[in-house]
Amino acid sequence: MSQGSKPLIQNTKCDCGHQNPTGTVLCEACGKPLTEEAEAQPVLEMRYDGVARRSQKANPGVIDLVWNFFSSVKVAIYLILFTLIGSSLGTIFPQESTFLNIDPSVYYKEEYGQLGHIYYLLGLSHTYTSWWFVLLLVMIGASLVICSLDRVLPLYKALSRQRIPKHMSFLTRQKVVYQGPVEEGGIEWVERVKPIIKKKGYRVRTDGGTLLAEKQRFSRWGPYVLHIGLIVFLLAVLGRNLPGLYMDEHVAFPQGEPVHIKNTSYYLLNDGFKVEFYTEDDMPEEFKGKNKVLPKEFQTQAVLYMCEANCDDLDKDPELVEVTRHNIEVNHPLNYKGLKAYQFDYDLTPILRSVSPVLVNSKSGKEYGKITLSINDPQRKYQAGEYTLTLTQTYTDFGLGDNGKPVNLSPNPNAPAFLFLIEGPDLPKEGIQYFYFPKQIDKERFNQEAINAQLAGGEELVSLDVLSMDDVDFAESTTYLNIRVDKAMPFIWVGCFIGMIGLIMGFYFTHRRIWLRIDDGILTLGAHTNKNWFGLRKEISAIFKGMNMEVDEKSLENNRGNKHESN
Amino acid sequence: MGKSKKNIQIVILLAIVLIGVYAVATVVFGSDKVPKVGQKAADFELLGMDGNVHTMSDYEGKARVINFWGTYCPPCVREMPALQSQWEKWSSQGVEIIGINVGENKVTVENFVAQTGVKFPILMDPKRNAVASFGVGPMPTTFFVTASGKIDHIRIGELDLNTLDKQIEQLVNAK
């Protein structure tokens, strides 16, 4: 690794002639301990193979300092700790987002007292969407990226540029060590042992009387692959905030009218709603005889449309094309290209949509003609035979004001009422006023007949009557669906999958290396693994056995630097 | 080598800063999209009683008084004549008064407009789109928007007719 900056304090040039970067613990070429600390270790610390992390520089600039901050594992642990403390603070009182309609500035004080108010003022009532919490998450992400890069790149270089001959002090200070005499010359012995080691699954390289055997190096990349998975996961969660990627809304669908799903070009029609109730016999004991109504199953026959034209035109109806239909039940949502509609709730109160009454002569009963009156969007004029009906006043929720005059109480069609001016044959020239209440209950409540008699000057001349139930159009029920879009979800799964691969790489495979050299008939062997030392010793013992040498597994363990003598 | 390494560091740090700023900005400003006093007023696209589509940008450069109302809301009905007389006074001086009817049908609104003699533009919001984007709660609610499009003041509830004139004057001067 060449570095732009010159080493100032530490002399990093090894005896073997290799120039190491600042912060190197073990010479990149021959493995000789370079620092006093490493020199004093009876068994070498092999972390990152003793190479310098990228952030270890002699004279760091501003960018390096920022980089160094995030490259520290200590900082990462503090960040995680702060995030943990922060997220637990958010669980003391319920978060604002759990309420549908509250004023948090009042609610927390009323419900939880002064402490609750302080909680609100500190912004803890929306912990997970506070700037500091998200900043902590972003910093964890940054630390994840930088920590990984800072270690993985030097480690990759060190492992791909390994030299075969190693310094004696590197070999004898490994955790697994063997030293003993061999009878042949170095090169012959190495050539003889090579196929035996290869058989154990190692890749073997030799250089004269020295050898390096290595297997499953990829397991060293496991943690970094896991980090990549976590980063993909974090980015996907952040990406949910992008427009169009995430939606979670509850929408009412009255039967028979397509309802636009906001921020999409889809319309969903409730084409019929079925509900089945438990009979008295099926009910649990505690509900019996209490007049309880328990639904057993409910189903929305949904039709999904895509808007093809006139979608944003306010004065034209949109042109809809059916794309799919599905019977939505609990746990069986409609799913179309990532748009999901889950059954959530229902309301069996019928909603009147339109009525088609006939204009009749009140005395003779003669029918003049039928009109179709839409409750929500009536026309100005209607024609019933020779009679013209002009709407002069409409009410959605008819009532009487303080001064006794008719008023509209709400925009909801609870008690729709219509005041017509009717003109035609046998009526006074200026026409007569006629009040019409489409709902039977309102007709009686407001005494429609008496009002109209009074308006006509004594007796009712004509009336609007609905002759059959076929002339009444109403939505039998309303279904409530939970509409969800989560386009970030596939990326979350991809992140999890990558993370899982990393975990498997790191957990189920071990990176094992064996170095050996023969100097003047003395074999020196050192070996390293990142876990399962027992397995490594066993493997080496078996290799020696293949060379007709009996070496006890336990004796291979480096006992605080005391060299073992072979038997 | 050293230089390209530094560049990679800078690129990575920059990407982190960008993502961080974006993430923090979306939670701080994104969760509550309803504009507040001092912020730019929301846009709308609504059908007017004149049969034309009206948008917020149609009124750019004018001080605007945007009143959300309904015939079912007695204080809304009471303050209509005052809004009409203010419109007569101020419309020549670059002030527009806009009434947005909430959730009613055309015939109902037409009848009401004819009976009260309202002449200023009345728009219809049957699906409550503008109600949502302006964050209107109880009615009436009136937004005072400056010529540059910023919300100067939000009045929730019946207008104070004694100070309405002064308020519009302030709005005109707030340019």
Side-chain angles (χ1 to χ4, degrees):
Chain A
M1 252 176 77
S2 64
Q3 205 88 43
S5 54
K6 273 182 256 164
L8 289 177
I9 311 152
Q10 200 187 359
N11 182 16
T12 54
K13 191 159 182 170
C14 180
D15 295 348
C16 70
H18 182 76
Q19 177 65 56
N20 292 293
T22 318
T24 308
V25 182
L26 305 174
C27 173
E28 288 175 346
C30 70
K32 182 178 183 287
L34 295 176
T35 61
E36 271 176 42
E37 199 190 338
E39 189 66 56
Q41 285 167 347
V43 174
L44 292 176
E45 169 61 59
M46 286 288 286
R47 198 164 50 160
Y48 312 123
D49 264 32
V51 292
R53 279 181 285 120
R54 173 161 277 202
S55 58
Q56 288 173 316
K57 277 192 176 177
N59 35 2
V62 181
I63 293 200
D64 294 319
L65 283 174
V66 176
W67 187 269
N68 294 358
F69 175 76
F70 284 112
S71 73
S72 157
V73 172
K74 208 191 231 168
V75 168
I77 289 170
Y78 277 117
L79 285 174
I80 292 168
L81 214 66
F82 289 142
T83 311
L84 278 177
I85 294 168
S87 43
S88 57
L89 284 176
T91 61
I92 296 177
F93 294 126
Q95 295 280 295
E96 277 170 41
S97 56
T98 50
F99 305 105
L100 277 179
N101 210 350
I102 57 154
D103 181 2
S105 59
V106 193
Y107 179 84
Y108 283 89
K109 193 167 193 168
E110 275 178 4
E111 199 72 10
Y112 308 108
Q114 198 56 39
L115 213 61
H117 195 57
I118 294 168
Y119 190 76
Y120 161 74
L121 289 177
L122 286 173
L124 292 172
S125 57
H126 50 93
T127 303
Y128 308 112
T129 52
S130 63
W131 63 269
W132 57 267
F133 190 79
V134 175
L135 193 68
L136 274 174
L137 289 182
V138 170
M139 282 168 83
I140 288 179
S143 150
L144 215 58
V145 173
I146 294 175
C147 271
S148 303
L149 284 177
D150 204 46
R151 288 164 177 78
V152 76
L153 297 179
L155 181 65
Y156 175 79
K157 275 185 185 161
L159 290 180
S160 55
R161 282 185 200 164
Q162 287 181 91
R163 292 233 327 248
I164 302 160
K166 286 283 176 184
H167 197 265
M168 188 58 99
S169 64
F170 177 80
L171 295 187
T172 55
R173 289 200 223 173
Q174 289 301 323
K175 225 171 153 186
V176 173
V177 166
Y178 173 82
Q179 224 168 12
V182 286
E183 272 147 30
E184 306 145 78
I187 296 170
E188 291 84 54
W189 198 86
V190 164
E191 280 311 311
R192 211 151 60 77
V193 81
K194 206 173 158 181
I196 300 171
I197 302 182
K198 265 192 174 164
K199 231 181 184 166
K200 296 270 174 203
Y202 285 83
R203 278 178 296 125
V204 182
R205 285 151 62 205
T206 56
D207 184 357
T210 59
L211 174 146
L212 166 60
E214 188 177 11
K215 76 170 169 188
Q216 294 176 359
R217 189 198 284 175
F218 68 87
S219 86
R220 294 293 285 269
W221 315 130
Y224 308 105
V225 173
L226 170 66
H227 285 180
I228 292 171
L230 288 177
I231 290 159
V232 171
F233 188 98
L234 266 178
L235 285 177
V237 172
L238 283 177
R240 275 184 165 179
N241 291 329
L242 289 170
L245 280 185
Y246 183 72
M247 172 165 66
D248 187 352
E249 305 228 0
H250 297 91
V251 187
F253 295 90
Q255 194 179 327
E257 324 165 24
V259 176
H260 182 219
I261 298 169
K262 270 187 187 155
N263 301 325
T264 68
S265 51
Y266 293 113
Y267 282 72
L268 193 141
L269 167 72
N270 167 8
D271 198 24
F273 180 79
K274 274 197 302 204
V275 61
E276 201 182 308
F277 294 98
Y278 281 108
T279 60
E280 193 75 21
D281 299 333
D282 290 340
M283 275 194 204
E285 216 48 59
E286 57 263 47
F287 289 135
K288 273 185 190 166
K290 287 191 177 164
N291 254 339
K292 283 252 183 195
V293 181
L294 288 182
K296 192 175 182 179
E297 245 179 32
F298 40 110
Q299 185 192 66
T300 304
Q301 287 150 12
V303 185
L304 191 70
Y305 295 98
M306 176 93 108
C307 180
E308 298 271 290
N310 303 337
C311 300
D312 295 319
D313 248 330
L314 291 169
D315 46 359
K316 279 184 206 152
D317 286 334
E319 275 176 36
L320 303 179
V321 176
E322 182 181 328
V323 287
T324 188
R325 50 175 69 217
H326 181 77
N327 294 340
I328 303 172
E329 282 172 40
V330 174
N331 292 335
H332 297 283
L334 173 143
N335 187 348
Y336 182 75
K337 290 187 179 167
L339 179 104
K340 289 182 181 165
Y342 291 85
Q343 187 68 55
F344 178 68
D345 200 1
Y346 63 89
D347 182 0
L348 294 179
T349 315
I351 298 171
L352 194 58
R353 230 182 341 240
S354 74
V355 285
S356 305
V358 174
L359 186 70
V360 293
N361 187 315
S362 298
K363 269 189 208 148
S364 65
K366 191 183 171 205
E367 295 175 19
Y368 295 123
K370 200 191 260 187
I371 66 166
T372 298
L373 178 65
S374 159
I375 304 296
N376 281 330
D377 196 13
Q379 290 163 237
R380 171 64 68 191
K381 267 189 194 332
Y382 293 92
Q383 200 70 37
E386 289 173 60
Y387 292 84
T388 309
L389 294 85
T390 311
L391 252 184
T392 57
Q393 205 61 261
T394 53
Y395 304 88
T396 43
D397 195 352
F398 184 85
L400 293 174
D402 296 335
N403 52 7
K405 281 189 182 163
V407 288
N408 210 359
L409 297 178
S410 83
N412 311 320
N414 297 333
F418 300 88
L419 179 61
F420 289 101
L421 177 72
I422 305 179
E423 291 159 299
D426 302 330
L427 291 181
K429 223 183 203 167
E430 66 280 8
I432 56 157
Q433 304 237 40
Y434 181 82
F435 242 112
Y436 179 61
F437 295 90
K439 284 189 180 174
Q440 188 59 36
I441 184 169
D442 299 329
K443 272 188 186 105
E444 286 158 19
R445 188 153 67 110
F446 297 111
N447 215 341
Q448 179 182 312
E449 223 167 296
I451 296 175
N452 286 329
Q454 208 184 342
L455 286 172
E459 57 178 336
E460 204 186 52
L461 301 174
V462 287
S463 67
L464 282 167
D465 286 328
V466 173
L467 299 180
S468 96
M469 271 317 275
D470 294 340
D471 291 332
V472 183
D473 177 28
F474 57 92
E476 285 168 43
S477 57
T478 305
T479 185
Y480 293 90
L481 302 177
N482 177 207
I483 307 288
R484 285 191 212 166
V485 174
D486 194 348
K487 290 188 178 148
M489 208 56 209
F491 297 101
I492 288 177
W493 286 118
V494 166
C496 291
F497 184 71
I498 295 173
M500 200 65 213
I501 290 175
L503 283 174
I504 290 170
M505 280 168 70
F507 276 134
Y508 293 100
F509 299 92
T510 53
H511 180 214
R512 289 177 182 174
R513 275 178 295 173
I514 301 168
W515 299 269
L516 60 84
R517 57 187 285 173
I518 293 159
D519 311 87
D520 307 323
I522 300 289
L523 160 75
T524 310
L525 177 144
H528 182 74
T529 178
N530 53 348
K531 57 180 164 291
N532 192 6
W533 293 89
F534 174 77
L536 178 66
R537 288 199 301 266
K538 206 171 157 186
E539 217 162 42
I540 291 168
S541 176
I543 290 165
F544 278 132
K545 212 169 192 174
M547 294 293 285
N548 295 318
M549 291 163 75
E550 206 56 55
V551 178
D552 181 38
E553 282 169 37
K554 274 182 193 156
S555 72
L556 287 168
E557 188 168 355
N558 189 348
N559 192 10
R560 297 186 175 199
N562 297 331
K563 286 162 201 158
H564 288 271
E565 294 303 320
S566 63
N567 302 326
Chain B
M1 261 294 268
K3 201 157 189 195
S4 75
K5 221 178 258 176
K6 186 138 222 166
N7 285 340
I8 291 170
Q9 274 189 337
I10 292 172
V11 167
I12 290 169
L13 287 175
L14 238 114
I16 290 167
V17 168
L18 278 179
I19 293 170
V21 167
Y22 169 77
V24 173
T26 44
V27 294
V28 173
F29 306 110
S31 59
D32 192 14
K33 277 178 192 153
V34 171
K36 300 185 179 77
V37 171
Q39 292 178 334
K40 202 174 181 305
D43 280 328
F44 59 74
E45 191 184 4
L46 299 169
L47 200 58
M49 289 311 293
D50 55 2
N52 297 324
V53 174
H54 294 242
T55 63
M56 189 62 153
S57 52
D58 293 349
Y59 300 101
E60 231 163 54
K62 281 185 173 181
R64 284 149 272 186
V65 177
I66 303 172
N67 177 252
F68 286 84
W69 67 279
T71 64
Y72 45 84
C73 144
C76 304
V77 174
R78 277 200 297 274
E79 68 189 19
M80 272 296 163
L83 284 170
Q84 172 61 24
S85 60
Q86 290 298 334
W87 181 72
E88 282 160 14
K89 180 176 174 193
W90 288 100
S91 63
S92 59
Q93 296 174 55
V95 178
E96 194 62 272
I97 292 179
I98 304 158
I100 298 184
N101 173 273
V102 178
E104 294 187 281
N105 60 55
K106 197 173 176 217
V107 172
T108 306
V109 180
E110 264 176 11
N111 287 339
F112 180 83
V113 168
Q115 279 158 23
T116 46
V118 168
K119 296 283 186 300
F120 58 85
I122 296 286
L123 316 181
M124 286 182 299
D125 189 15
K127 289 185 176 160
R128 295 165 203 258
N129 294 334
V131 168
S133 51
F134 276 78
V136 175
M139 281 202 285
T141 293
T142 310
F143 289 78
F144 294 83
V145 179
T146 65
S148 57
K150 265 198 206 152
I151 300 176
D152 186 58
H153 177 67
I154 302 173
R155 171 76 192 182
I156 297 169
E158 196 166 351
L159 289 163
D160 186 348
L161 300 183
N162 299 319
T163 59
L164 181 61
D165 191 51
K166 269 229 170 72
Q167 239 163 357
I168 297 178
E169 195 179 326
Q170 270 174 16
L171 189 68
V172 173
N173 295 333
K175 268 176 192 175

mmCIF file of all heavy atoms in Angstrom, chain A residues 393-395 397-409 417 419 435 437 446 451, chain B residues 71 115:
data_model
loop_
_atom_site.group_PDB
_atom_site.id
_atom_site.type_symbol
_atom_site.label_atom_id
_atom_site.label_comp_id
_atom_site.label_asym_id
_atom_site.label_seq_id
_atom_site.Cartn_x
_atom_site.Cartn_y
_atom_site.Cartn_z
ATOM 1 N N GLN A 393 -84.321 24.949 -4.395
ATOM 2 C CA GLN A 393 -83.620 24.858 -3.119
ATOM 3 C C GLN A 393 -83.287 23.392 -2.852
ATOM 4 O O GLN A 393 -84.111 22.518 -3.127
ATOM 5 C CB GLN A 393 -84.545 25.393 -2.022
ATOM 6 C CG GLN A 393 -83.867 25.922 -0.801
ATOM 7 C CD GLN A 393 -82.940 27.110 -1.069
ATOM 8 O OE1 GLN A 393 -81.741 26.919 -1.171
ATOM 9 N NE2 GLN A 393 -83.481 28.305 -1.224
ATOM 10 N N THR A 394 -82.074 23.146 -2.369
ATOM 11 C CA THR A 394 -81.727 21.761 -2.033
ATOM 12 C C THR A 394 -81.135 21.719 -0.629
ATOM 13 O O THR A 394 -80.494 22.671 -0.183
ATOM 14 C CB THR A 394 -80.675 21.195 -3.002
ATOM 15 O OG1 THR A 394 -79.577 22.094 -3.022
ATOM 16 C CG2 THR A 394 -81.203 21.006 -4.391
ATOM 17 N N TYR A 395 -81.387 20.626 0.038
ATOM 18 C CA TYR A 395 -80.828 20.429 1.376
ATOM 19 C C TYR A 395 -80.299 19.004 1.445
ATOM 20 O O TYR A 395 -80.939 18.077 0.954
ATOM 21 C CB TYR A 395 -81.906 20.597 2.459
ATOM 22 C CG TYR A 395 -82.605 21.924 2.404
ATOM 23 C CD1 TYR A 395 -83.734 22.114 1.602
ATOM 24 C CD2 TYR A 395 -82.134 22.994 3.155
ATOM 25 C CE1 TYR A 395 -84.363 23.329 1.539
ATOM 26 C CE2 TYR A 395 -82.765 24.228 3.101
ATOM 27 C CZ TYR A 395 -83.883 24.394 2.292
ATOM 28 O OH TYR A 395 -84.513 25.598 2.227
ATOM 29 N N ASP A 397 -79.196 17.874 4.558
ATOM 30 C CA ASP A 397 -79.575 17.488 5.915
ATOM 31 C C ASP A 397 -80.560 18.541 6.406
ATOM 32 O O ASP A 397 -80.195 19.503 7.070
ATOM 33 C CB ASP A 397 -78.314 17.427 6.787
ATOM 34 C CG ASP A 397 -78.554 16.685 8.083
ATOM 35 O OD1 ASP A 397 -79.719 16.350 8.373
ATOM 36 O OD2 ASP A 397 -77.568 16.439 8.798
ATOM 37 N N PHE A 398 -81.822 18.315 6.049
ATOM 38 C CA PHE A 398 -82.851 19.326 6.281
ATOM 39 C C PHE A 398 -83.116 19.515 7.772
ATOM 40 O O PHE A 398 -83.163 18.564 8.545
ATOM 41 C CB PHE A 398 -84.137 18.893 5.581
ATOM 42 C CG PHE A 398 -85.254 19.897 5.649
ATOM 43 C CD1 PHE A 398 -85.328 20.933 4.726
ATOM 44 C CD2 PHE A 398 -86.224 19.817 6.636
ATOM 45 C CE1 PHE A 398 -86.357 21.855 4.776
ATOM 46 C CE2 PHE A 398 -87.254 20.737 6.692
ATOM 47 C CZ PHE A 398 -87.317 21.764 5.758
ATOM 48 N N GLY A 399 -83.321 20.765 8.151
ATOM 49 C CA GLY A 399 -83.669 21.050 9.536
ATOM 50 C C GLY A 399 -84.239 22.440 9.615
ATOM 51 O O GLY A 399 -84.281 23.166 8.605
ATOM 52 N N LEU A 400 -84.681 22.813 10.811
ATOM 53 C CA LEU A 400 -85.228 24.152 10.980
ATOM 54 C C LEU A 400 -84.278 24.970 11.836
ATOM 55 O O LEU A 400 -83.814 24.501 12.870
ATOM 56 C CB LEU A 400 -86.613 24.090 11.620
ATOM 57 C CG LEU A 400 -87.691 23.445 10.728
ATOM 58 C CD1 LEU A 400 -88.991 23.276 11.474
ATOM 59 C CD2 LEU A 400 -87.908 24.256 9.445
ATOM 60 N N GLY A 401 -83.983 26.183 11.382
ATOM 61 C CA GLY A 401 -83.050 27.043 12.108
ATOM 62 C C GLY A 401 -83.723 27.712 13.295
ATOM 63 O O GLY A 401 -84.909 27.482 13.578
ATOM 64 N N ASP A 402 -82.950 28.563 13.977
ATOM 65 C CA ASP A 402 -83.459 29.250 15.166
ATOM 66 C C ASP A 402 -84.669 30.130 14.833
ATOM 67 O O ASP A 402 -85.578 30.286 15.633
ATOM 68 C CB ASP A 402 -82.349 30.142 15.760
ATOM 69 C CG ASP A 402 -81.184 29.294 16.232
ATOM 70 O OD1 ASP A 402 -81.419 28.103 16.540
ATOM 71 O OD2 ASP A 402 -80.052 29.814 16.273
ATOM 72 N N ASN A 403 -84.651 30.697 13.614
ATOM 73 C CA ASN A 403 -85.744 31.587 13.225
ATOM 74 C C ASN A 403 -86.900 30.826 12.568
ATOM 75 O O ASN A 403 -87.787 31.420 11.985
ATOM 76 C CB ASN A 403 -85.221 32.684 12.282
ATOM 77 C CG ASN A 403 -84.460 32.090 11.114
ATOM 78 O OD1 ASN A 403 -84.430 30.858 10.946
ATOM 79 N ND2 ASN A 403 -83.874 32.940 10.300
ATOM 80 N N GLY A 404 -86.870 29.497 12.633
ATOM 81 C CA GLY A 404 -87.963 28.701 12.081
ATOM 82 C C GLY A 404 -87.863 28.470 10.591
ATOM 83 O O GLY A 404 -88.696 27.797 10.004
ATOM 84 N N LYS A 405 -86.817 29.023 9.976
ATOM 85 C CA LYS A 405 -86.657 28.826 8.538
ATOM 86 C C LYS A 405 -85.875 27.542 8.264
ATOM 87 O O LYS A 405 -85.040 27.147 9.075
ATOM 88 C CB LYS A 405 -85.883 30.018 7.937
ATOM 89 C CG LYS A 405 -86.765 31.231 7.729
ATOM 90 C CD LYS A 405 -86.014 32.277 6.951
ATOM 91 C CE LYS A 405 -86.875 33.506 6.774
ATOM 92 N NZ LYS A 405 -86.086 34.681 6.385
ATOM 93 N N PRO A 406 -86.126 26.912 7.121
ATOM 94 C CA PRO A 406 -85.380 25.691 6.817
ATOM 95 C C PRO A 406 -83.894 25.984 6.610
ATOM 96 O O PRO A 406 -83.545 26.988 5.979
ATOM 97 C CB PRO A 406 -86.013 25.180 5.525
ATOM 98 C CG PRO A 406 -86.937 26.226 5.052
ATOM 99 C CD PRO A 406 -87.134 27.243 6.106
ATOM 100 N N VAL A 407 -83.058 25.126 7.168
ATOM 101 C CA VAL A 407 -81.614 25.266 6.982
ATOM 102 C C VAL A 407 -81.011 23.900 6.672
ATOM 103 O O VAL A 407 -81.646 22.864 6.870
ATOM 104 C CB VAL A 407 -80.913 25.828 8.241
ATOM 105 C CG1 VAL A 407 -81.221 27.281 8.455
ATOM 106 C CG2 VAL A 407 -81.244 24.993 9.462
ATOM 107 N N ASN A 408 -79.781 23.968 6.202
ATOM 108 C CA ASN A 408 -79.011 22.760 5.926
ATOM 109 C C ASN A 408 -78.121 22.502 7.139
ATOM 110 O O ASN A 408 -77.351 23.359 7.541
ATOM 111 C CB ASN A 408 -78.148 23.025 4.692
ATOM 112 C CG ASN A 408 -77.911 21.777 3.913
ATOM 113 O OD1 ASN A 408 -78.375 20.710 4.296
ATOM 114 N ND2 ASN A 408 -77.193 21.901 2.815
ATOM 115 N N LEU A 409 -78.255 21.336 7.753
ATOM 116 C CA LEU A 409 -77.513 21.095 8.989
ATOM 117 C C LEU A 409 -76.112 20.539 8.757
ATOM 118 O O LEU A 409 -75.220 20.756 9.563
ATOM 119 C CB LEU A 409 -78.292 20.141 9.896
ATOM 120 C CG LEU A 409 -79.657 20.654 10.385
ATOM 121 C CD1 LEU A 409 -80.346 19.594 11.220
ATOM 122 C CD2 LEU A 409 -79.492 21.936 11.191
ATOM 123 N N ALA A 417 -83.616 16.973 1.093
ATOM 124 C CA ALA A 417 -84.901 17.604 0.787
ATOM 125 C C ALA A 417 -84.724 18.507 -0.424
ATOM 126 O O ALA A 417 -83.644 19.064 -0.633
ATOM 127 C CB ALA A 417 -85.376 18.412 1.989
ATOM 128 N N LEU A 419 -86.734 21.500 -2.916
ATOM 129 C CA LEU A 419 -87.869 22.388 -3.154
ATOM 130 C C LEU A 419 -87.944 22.653 -4.657
ATOM 131 O O LEU A 419 -87.006 23.176 -5.256
ATOM 132 C CB LEU A 419 -87.691 23.708 -2.380
ATOM 133 C CG LEU A 419 -88.800 24.730 -2.553
ATOM 134 C CD1 LEU A 419 -90.147 24.188 -2.054
ATOM 135 C CD2 LEU A 419 -88.469 26.027 -1.815
ATOM 136 N N PHE A 435 -92.344 20.741 -1.909
ATOM 137 C CA PHE A 435 -91.239 20.202 -1.108
ATOM 138 C C PHE A 435 -91.214 18.692 -1.248
ATOM 139 O O PHE A 435 -92.246 18.039 -1.081
ATOM 140 C CB PHE A 435 -91.445 20.557 0.373
ATOM 141 C CG PHE A 435 -90.341 21.419 0.896
ATOM 142 C CD1 PHE A 435 -90.582 22.747 1.250
ATOM 143 C CD2 PHE A 435 -89.059 20.912 1.036
ATOM 144 C CE1 PHE A 435 -89.555 23.545 1.724
ATOM 145 C CE2 PHE A 435 -88.034 21.711 1.513
ATOM 146 C CZ PHE A 435 -88.282 23.036 1.863
ATOM 147 N N PHE A 437 -89.293 15.170 0.064
ATOM 148 C CA PHE A 437 -88.353 14.435 0.919
ATOM 149 C C PHE A 437 -88.260 13.002 0.389
ATOM 150 O O PHE A 437 -89.229 12.248 0.484
ATOM 151 C CB PHE A 437 -88.856 14.386 2.364
ATOM 152 C CG PHE A 437 -88.909 15.729 3.029
ATOM 153 C CD1 PHE A 437 -90.066 16.512 2.965
ATOM 154 C CD2 PHE A 437 -87.818 16.211 3.729
ATOM 155 C CE1 PHE A 437 -90.110 17.742 3.576
ATOM 156 C CE2 PHE A 437 -87.878 17.452 4.349
ATOM 157 C CZ PHE A 437 -89.021 18.228 4.278
ATOM 158 N N PHE A 446 -91.291 15.625 8.804
ATOM 159 C CA PHE A 446 -91.477 17.042 8.474
ATOM 160 C C PHE A 446 -92.867 17.323 7.889
ATOM 161 O O PHE A 446 -93.146 18.430 7.476
ATOM 162 C CB PHE A 446 -90.379 17.499 7.508
ATOM 163 C CG PHE A 446 -89.007 17.408 8.107
ATOM 164 C CD1 PHE A 446 -88.097 16.482 7.654
ATOM 165 C CD2 PHE A 446 -88.650 18.242 9.167
ATOM 166 C CE1 PHE A 446 -86.842 16.380 8.221
ATOM 167 C CE2 PHE A 446 -87.400 18.150 9.741
ATOM 168 C CZ PHE A 446 -86.490 17.216 9.270
ATOM 169 N N ILE A 451 -97.064 20.617 4.390
ATOM 170 C CA ILE A 451 -96.272 21.739 3.877
ATOM 171 C C ILE A 451 -96.703 22.061 2.455
ATOM 172 O O ILE A 451 -96.949 23.218 2.100
ATOM 173 C CB ILE A 451 -94.758 21.402 3.884
ATOM 174 C CG1 ILE A 451 -94.247 21.178 5.299
ATOM 175 C CG2 ILE A 451 -93.964 22.511 3.211
ATOM 176 C CD1 ILE A 451 -92.797 20.726 5.364
ATOM 177 N N THR B 71 -73.092 25.798 2.900
ATOM 178 C CA THR B 71 -74.418 26.352 3.243
ATOM 179 C C THR B 71 -74.909 25.795 4.573
ATOM 180 O O THR B 71 -75.818 26.332 5.180
ATOM 181 C CB THR B 71 -75.463 26.012 2.174
ATOM 182 O OG1 THR B 71 -75.620 24.587 2.151
ATOM 183 C CG2 THR B 71 -75.056 26.484 0.795
ATOM 184 N N GLN B 115 -79.106 33.661 -4.163
ATOM 185 C CA GLN B 115 -79.885 34.276 -3.095
ATOM 186 C C GLN B 115 -79.104 35.322 -2.317
ATOM 187 O O GLN B 115 -79.658 36.313 -1.865
ATOM 188 C CB GLN B 115 -80.374 33.196 -2.130
ATOM 189 C CG GLN B 115 -81.611 32.496 -2.646
ATOM 190 C CD GLN B 115 -81.777 31.130 -2.020
ATOM 191 O OE1 GLN B 115 -81.253 30.871 -0.943
ATOM 192 N NE2 GLN B 115 -82.497 30.270 -2.689
#
